[in-house]
Amino acid sequence: WRLASPTHRAQVGMGGNVAVGLGAAGGAVLLFGSQGVPIRRAKTGDGFFFQFTICCGIWLVGFAAQLVLQAKFEMFAMLGGFFWCTGNMLTIPVVKTIGFSYGMLIHSATNFLMGWSSGKFGFFGITKNTVPKPTMNTVGALLSLLRIVVLAFMDSRVAMRNTEESEGATVGDDAESSPLLKGETKPKGRQEAIVINAFVDRREAKVGLEKLNYRVQKGLGIFMAVATGLLYGVNFDPVEYLKDHPTAFLPANSSSNHSSNSIDYVFSHYTGILLSSMVYFFFYCSIKMARKSTIVLHGDSVLFGIATGAMWGIAQCGWFVANQNLEFIESFPLVTSGPSLIACLWGIFLLKEIRGKKNYILTAAAFCIVIISDTLVILSKIE
């Protein structure tokens, strides 16, 4: 994974490792889109302890990479880990209100646009990316916005079920109103109206949104999913800044510069994720104790959390490699759009979060938009 060229921009400009970048992006897409599968078998409780175990799994991958790479630890690169972890914390209420597949489709789109914009316009001190056909690249990227519009018309049955449970209502048996998630049964009353979705066990998760009506829950869920995507979209920026400014934050008499290889920042980035997660979990426990509430820790979910984190950690390594061999305006469209397609397939065939003719049609439309958008972005690189 190490590259011999002296600078990142020179390496990308040579185009000699495009195949490596595309292969790494493909592997990242598969793992990112499938990471929700192990979670399905875990007792996630309200999600806070489980996300901490995920971050532990991520850090273990980073530690293994560090043993091999022996890279310099970069404090500034930890900031990207903080951004990602904060976005990850928001996924708990997102999944609680609009579901795993729906939420992932939305935040992957905003993640794409934020990361692409950082490279296109040089946000936050990052060197602007260039491609032979910039207009085609821009059209392909902006086309992703249409995906959010399409998905906004999907029925979020997780939020609908929250409202029905709060009101003590029952659910009909028609295709559009039937239970959305695997394992659901038609509720006879409030106590039996239980839904277990991809990340959060509804029997234990209380994020303060349960009594809001369906439209409000859906709107808040979409808003938080967008915020999650924005945080995810800037998580590489600190690393990219160090690569583009090799002497930044270093003493004038320093004998070494920041590395130009993206993979060298993995351990620093993952350490930022773990430390941020520890801080959030500490505050969560403090609030629970102050309210004299029980903190439920499911020991049998630890392995599933670590496995999920390991999958994410390996996928993120692939994305670091893709960033090394491709421009931001190329790697972000590929890596952020693909997982939503994989997640949709899991959502349809396994998690049962996407049901009904209307949602199937809208999902198919979103697929077409992603394919066209990514194709335009890739073709924009060809002279």
Side-chain angles (χ1 to χ4, degrees):
W1 286 0
R2 284 183 177 273
L3 302 175
S5 302
T7 64
H8 168 60
R9 297 301 167 197
Q11 291 164 345
V12 173
M14 289 172 61
N17 293 299
V18 172
V20 174
L22 293 176
V29 165
L30 181 61
L31 288 172
F32 278 138
S34 303
Q35 63 178 327
V37 177
I39 300 174
R40 184 64 179 172
R41 297 181 177 274
K43 293 181 180 179
T44 57
D46 59 12
F48 286 93
F49 173 69
F50 191 69
Q51 70 83 28
F52 175 68
T53 64
I54 290 177
C55 293
C56 290
I58 292 171
W59 185 83
L60 289 175
V61 172
F63 180 70
Q66 180 67 7
L67 292 178
V68 176
L69 298 171
Q70 296 294 308
K72 176 185 176 182
F73 190 86
E74 296 281 4
M75 294 287 291
F76 188 70
M78 293 173 60
L79 183 61
F82 165 75
F83 292 147
W84 182 89
C85 185
T86 303
N88 191 48
M89 290 295 299
L90 286 177
T91 61
I92 296 173
V94 167
V95 171
K96 182 68 167 65
T97 52
I98 61 176
F100 166 67
S101 301
Y102 189 19
M104 186 172 187
L105 283 166
I106 293 175
H107 75 60
S108 65
T110 52
N111 182 5
F112 165 15
L113 291 173
M114 187 68 240
W116 175 86
S117 298
S118 296
K120 177 72 173 180
F121 303 107
F123 291 162
F124 314 115
I126 295 175
T127 303
K128 292 183 180 180
N129 298 169
T130 58
V131 289
K133 300 176 181 177
T135 301
M136 181 181 293
N137 183 276
T138 301
V139 171
L142 294 180
L143 185 61
S144 182
L145 287 173
L146 183 59
R147 176 171 47 153
I148 300 178
V149 177
V150 171
L151 295 175
F153 290 96
M154 290 181 66
D155 292 323
S156 174
R157 292 300 170 182
V158 175
M160 181 66 78
R161 177 58 66 86
N162 287 345
T163 302
E164 290 167 342
E165 289 181 26
S166 178
E167 297 174 351
T170 59
V171 181
D173 294 328
D174 60 278
E176 290 292 335
S177 300
S178 59
L180 185 66
L181 305 179
K182 185 176 180 179
E184 291 181 4
T185 57
K186 184 177 179 180
K188 298 179 181 179
R190 180 177 299 184
Q191 296 301 318
E192 296 183 29
I194 295 174
V195 179
I196 302 176
N197 60 35
F199 290 115
V200 183
D201 190 329
R202 293 281 313 287
R203 292 168 293 187
E204 299 177 19
K206 299 295 180 183
V207 295
L209 304 176
E210 295 79 10
K211 295 184 179 181
L212 299 176
N213 66 49
Y214 165 69
R215 295 186 183 280
V216 174
Q217 286 190 55
K218 181 180 177 181
L220 286 174
I222 292 174
F223 173 79
M224 288 184 290
V226 170
T228 298
L230 294 177
L231 287 166
Y232 286 166
V234 298
N235 87 100
F236 285 111
D237 287 0
V239 168
E240 202 69 13
Y241 182 87
L242 294 179
K243 289 165 57 181
D244 290 342
H245 303 81
T247 61
F249 313 118
L250 294 176
N253 59 351
S254 176
S255 60
S256 62
N257 295 337
H258 302 300
S259 175
S260 63
N261 294 315
S262 296
I263 200 68
D264 286 338
Y265 297 91
V266 164
F267 183 63
S268 303
H269 185 82
Y270 289 8
T271 299
I273 290 175
L274 180 61
L275 292 180
S276 299
S277 179
M278 291 173 65
V279 171
Y280 286 132
F281 189 62
F282 171 79
F283 280 110
Y284 161 76
C285 292
S286 299
I287 293 173
K288 280 282 192 176
M289 293 176 65
R291 293 180 177 179
K292 298 182 180 179
S293 301
T294 302
I295 301 175
V296 181
L297 306 179
H298 294 289
D300 56 353
S301 69
V302 173
L303 289 179
F304 288 110
I306 291 177
T308 301
M311 290 177 66
W312 186 94
I314 296 171
Q316 188 81 339
C317 285
W319 200 346
F320 271 108
V321 175
N323 287 342
Q324 183 66 31
N325 294 277
L326 304 171
E327 298 280 11
F328 260 27
I329 57 177
E330 296 162 345
S331 64
F332 262 87
L334 296 174
V335 180
T336 57
S337 299
S340 63
L341 305 183
I342 303 298
C344 255
L345 295 178
W346 289 119
I348 292 173
F349 297 109
L350 178 64
L351 303 179
K352 307 299 183 183
E353 288 188 341
I354 300 176
R355 296 282 296 275
K357 182 178 179 180
K358 172 186 174 183
N359 288 340
Y360 290 153
I361 293 174
L362 292 174
T363 301
F367 270 53
C368 293
I369 291 171
V370 168
I371 292 172
I372 295 173
S373 173
D374 286 1
T375 300
L376 290 174
V377 171
I378 292 174
L379 291 178
S380 69
K381 186 178 179 62
I382 301 175
E383 297 185 14

